[in-house]
Amino acid sequence: MNTKLANKITYQIPVGPIHPALKEPVQFEFEIEGEKIINVDVSLGHVHRSVEWAGTRRNPIQILYLAERICGICSYCHPMAFSLATERAAEIEVPERAQYIRVIHQELERICSHILWAGVAAHEIGFDSVLFLTWQIREKALDLTEYLTGNRVTKGITMIGGVRRDITKDMYPTILEGMKYFKDNFEKIRKIFLDDKTFKLRSQGCGILTKEDALKLCAVGPTTRASGVKKDVRVDQPYFAFGDLDFDYITPDLITGEINGDVYDRIIVRLLEVKESIDLIEQCLDKMPSGDIVSEKKIAKLLSILKKADGEGIGRMEAPRGEVFHYVKLNGNESPHHWKVRAPTYSNILPWIPMLKGNQIADIPIVAASTDPCMSCTNRVAIIDNGKKYQLDKQKLYELSVEKTRRLM
Amino acid sequence: MAKGLPKSFKKSLWVYHCNSGSCNGCDIEIIAALCPRYDVERFGIKLVGSPRHADVLLVTGPVTRQMVEKVKRIYEQMPDPKAVICVGNCGNTGDVFYEAYNLVGPIDNILPVDIYVIGCPPRPENIINGVAKAWVKLETLEAK
């Protein structure tokens, strides 16, 4: 507790790491004046499982399964971004049919993730019947995922140089039926989220992120698009088959004609993206060429190619929460020399601070949830020396960075 | 349903879910088990917000170093009789993270685990089966 003025007292409220409103371990320290949030501090590191370190001790095909377990909700984009980076490093060509199948799986994951988010957002404002409604619709997306990949959550579909399962003509009716189900239910969800009085009251004008802040703090994905920044890796730097498909940036002014950057706008962006994803899957089914689904079928041969490869590559993808970035350096060994993951929530944590400042305590869950945070993707290491924790300030970080550059040279 | 379960239960079962550093895969399957398709609430199984109200502790994740003390404290806060269910392979054995430097788990190094639910992530049916087995344990304890 510290005093600012004689009659104005602020309180510190710690929330987390284990708290019923948080789905994952993360710790907040709020400075409160009455009901108003004055300052926020976030501390991370509770889900650090040393994934990158473990990756440098395994071969690239084993890493695919490790990358899948960075996050259970983005269990498709992490291994896929890793394989994009590895394909670039080892100069492996991906067959065109595989590119289309990759788009279908990615968009299916986006539908699944956005519907999941809609349910969590409804739960955070105490509207549990909507949680159950959206999760019932989500089960259909999971059924479809299971039909196409064999698994519900971790998909195991990625292979370096392609995908592991084909989508054949006789699968089309089931996929199209699933898309029809989503389209039929879309209107129902749209009506609840955009026209319902409760949602409007809780989400309009709450957790505002201005365009300037979004640019300055490098927010990514739906969070930044809701603030009017046109940023989408699928359009900016098309990968897979996105260059051949017809779609555009989604910003909230498509429906309301104005951009506020509040929670309501983030809901609009995610809803419209679900619709866009349905459309993209249908386009892919129409345009998909015939051919191979993987460039090298024999895994032993693929591993020997990767073992000989010497080079570095990056993989950028638009995950449901924003841009995911993987860097891989291969140097002729069985396991990669270096592997670096930057998940979207890493960029979306700092925008929490301007969003939460000035709001009420009761708005914390919905504002924090509105960026769709994913802690298991994000957590990094904190250095502990002789059991004593020391802070890394800017100067210290700079020194460490210079030291590392010298070491690598 | 598990063997040895009576036709009607004396109490409904309240569950507390603790994430000790999992990848979210098990956590979303736990929520899926509560939602309309599987709907365990019809059996009186319910997620609660405080360990002090819970009969069963569902732990997911491989227990990272930062979470050890917190997981122990949650277990101690629960009233007796209680049962601990470990959901997912990484809590059972370490799974893909087995060699990682930041893990203290598997969970049975830290808490006495009654039921191991395997799968990465386990299907909701499997989680429900695990909870039903915990029920058997609690009912037998009460009968003694």
Side-chain angles (χ1 to χ4, degrees):
Chain A
M1 191 174 90
N2 54 24
T3 37
K4 272 190 176 168
L5 289 166
N7 55 351
K8 270 196 174 178
I9 300 171
T10 63
Y11 292 90
Q12 311 272 329
I13 298 186
V15 174
I18 293 176
H19 189 271
L22 302 168
K23 300 288 163 291
E24 292 171 88
V26 58
Q27 197 172 2
F28 292 98
E29 183 99 0
F30 291 102
E31 200 179 324
I32 306 284
E33 186 196 293
E35 275 280 306
K36 231 172 83 186
I37 303 164
I38 306 283
N39 211 345
V40 194
D41 196 11
V42 190
S43 79
L44 300 169
H46 300 93
V47 203
H48 178 74
R49 288 153 304 174
S50 48
V51 172
E52 287 167 358
W53 175 85
T56 55
R57 303 159 73 97
R58 295 176 197 189
N59 73 40
I61 298 200
Q62 289 171 324
I63 294 180
L64 287 179
Y65 300 95
L66 179 63
E68 210 159 43
R69 281 149 184 92
I70 290 177
C71 172
I73 305 173
C74 338
S75 60
Y76 177 73
C77 40
H78 280 293
M80 219 22 133
F82 171 77
S83 77
L84 267 178
T86 318
E87 280 152 16
R88 250 170 230 168
E91 288 166 5
I92 295 171
E93 282 277 331
V94 183
E96 214 184 327
R97 186 178 177 81
Q99 305 276 28
Y100 278 88
I101 297 175
R102 284 178 168 191
V103 172
I104 293 176
H105 286 298
Q106 199 198 333
E107 295 310 315
L108 193 58
E109 184 185 67
R110 196 182 310 279
I111 295 175
C112 205
S113 176
H114 281 350
I115 298 178
L116 179 150
W117 173 84
V120 172
H123 170 72
E124 299 292 11
I125 64 167
F127 207 154
D128 269 353
S129 39
V130 180
L131 165 74
F132 292 138
L133 179 77
T134 49
W135 279 62
Q136 193 175 23
I137 296 168
R138 178 178 170 271
E139 283 290 336
K140 188 77 185 174
L142 287 180
D143 281 352
L144 211 51
T145 315
E146 195 179 355
Y147 180 66
L148 295 176
T149 68
N151 298 307
R152 274 165 64 92
V153 178
T154 41
K155 299 173 185 72
I157 188 82
T158 318
M159 184 43 69
I160 294 166
V163 286
R164 289 180 61 205
R165 280 197 193 195
D166 200 359
I167 294 176
T168 48
K169 275 265 188 281
D170 56 320
M171 287 171 157
Y172 281 25
T174 317
I175 302 175
L176 290 172
E177 188 211 349
M179 293 303 125
K180 191 173 169 290
Y181 177 82
F182 293 134
K183 273 191 225 161
D184 292 346
N185 282 286
F186 179 80
E187 188 52 30
K188 203 154 78 183
I189 298 187
R190 192 199 67 82
K191 222 170 161 181
I192 296 168
F193 277 92
L194 300 186
D195 299 339
D196 189 87
K197 204 174 151 196
T198 327
F199 266 102
K200 275 190 170 173
L201 281 172
R202 286 303 303 272
S203 61
Q204 277 177 339
C206 148
I208 292 175
L209 181 71
T210 59
K211 194 174 177 179
E212 291 73 43
D213 278 343
L215 283 169
K216 211 159 59 189
L217 298 167
C218 303
V220 290
T223 312
T224 192
R225 288 196 284 277
S227 297
V229 183
K230 292 197 168 173
K231 189 152 87 176
D232 189 330
V233 189
R234 293 176 294 170
V235 190
D236 299 335
Q237 282 195 344
Y239 52 96
F240 299 168
F242 281 116
D244 306 340
L245 303 172
D246 179 30
F247 68 106
D248 205 1
Y249 305 103
I250 299 277
T251 43
D253 51 343
L254 292 173
I255 278 194
T256 53
E258 54 177 6
I259 294 170
N260 298 318
D262 55 6
V263 177
Y264 189 67
D265 280 3
R266 274 167 237 142
I267 296 176
I268 297 177
V269 168
R270 289 206 173 81
L271 272 178
L272 292 179
E273 280 188 12
V274 170
K275 210 172 183 184
E276 190 186 61
S277 294
I278 298 169
D279 186 45
L280 279 171
I281 292 176
E282 285 177 343
Q283 282 186 44
C284 278
L285 291 179
D286 274 350
K287 291 183 182 167
M288 200 151 64
S290 56
D292 282 335
I293 54 159
V294 67
S295 63
E296 178 53 67
K297 282 200 183 90
K298 289 187 184 109
I299 288 182
K301 209 172 163 190
L302 177 66
L303 271 175
S304 81
I305 295 173
L306 290 168
K307 207 172 165 182
K308 281 178 211 137
D310 191 356
E312 52 187 351
I314 54 164
R316 287 176 72 195
M317 265 178 77
E318 185 73 17
R321 297 166 167 79
E323 180 195 340
V324 57
F325 179 101
H326 280 232
Y327 166 84
V328 173
K329 184 173 163 65
L330 302 171
N331 65 344
N333 281 327
E334 192 166 344
S335 46
H337 178 257
H338 192 69
W339 173 32
K340 172 78 193 160
V341 182
R342 211 236 32 212
T345 308
Y346 201 59
S347 312
N348 279 342
I349 281 184
L350 279 179
W352 272 351
I353 297 168
M355 276 182 208
L356 285 169
K357 269 188 191 171
N359 275 299
Q360 291 187 341
I361 304 173
D363 289 332
I364 295 170
I366 181 71
V367 172
S370 73
T371 67
D372 202 358
C374 180
M375 290 309 142
S376 54
C377 293
T378 306
N379 275 209
R380 291 293 175 266
V381 74
I383 294 175
I384 295 171
D385 201 9
N386 295 334
K388 219 168 109 186
K389 197 172 157 190
Y390 66 87
Q391 272 190 331
L392 288 171
D393 56 6
K394 210 174 164 189
Q395 183 61 29
K396 184 79 190 158
L397 270 177
Y398 176 72
E399 280 167 25
L400 280 174
S401 162
V402 172
E403 225 175 86
K404 188 170 179 182
T405 317
R406 290 213 185 105
R407 207 168 56 233
L408 287 176
M409 280 183 353
Chain B
M1 283 296 218
K3 256 187 191 170
L5 210 56
K7 269 186 184 158
S8 62
F9 309 119
K10 288 189 190 114
K11 290 173 191 162
S12 12
L13 202 66
W14 285 10
V15 180
Y16 184 78
H17 166 220
C18 163
N19 178 340
S20 73
S22 106
C23 75
N24 284 340
C26 301
D27 311 57
I28 52 175
E29 289 295 65
I30 289 170
I31 312 282
L34 290 160
C35 284
R37 167 82 59 94
Y38 298 98
D39 196 14
V40 291
E41 282 196 15
R42 68 201 149 122
F43 305 123
I45 302 173
K46 196 180 136 192
L47 271 196
V48 289
S50 164
R52 291 178 207 280
H53 300 161
D55 304 302
V56 171
L57 177 63
L58 277 183
V59 196
T60 57
V63 196
T64 58
R65 206 169 293 280
Q66 289 91 328
M67 294 303 287
V68 181
E69 287 309 311
K70 282 126 195 166
V71 171
K72 276 187 196 159
R73 261 176 69 189
I74 285 183
Y75 178 76
E76 282 155 12
Q77 282 173 3
M78 282 173 61
D80 282 327
K82 56 192 165 189
V84 178
I85 305 179
C86 171
V87 178
N89 280 354
C90 58
N92 292 333
T93 61
D95 204 22
V96 289
F97 312 115
Y98 69 98
E99 55 184 353
Y101 56 77
N102 201 34
L103 300 188
V104 185
I107 291 169
D108 49 12
N109 288 351
I110 296 148
L111 302 178
V113 178
D114 296 302
I115 291 116
Y116 299 89
V117 179
I118 55 165
C120 187
R123 294 182 66 90
E125 292 96 331
N126 203 0
I127 297 172
I128 298 169
N129 186 32
V131 175
K133 282 189 174 150
W135 221 333
V136 175
K137 184 206 164 183
L138 292 176
E139 296 263 333
T140 2
L141 275 181
E142 198 160 318
K144 272 178 192 171

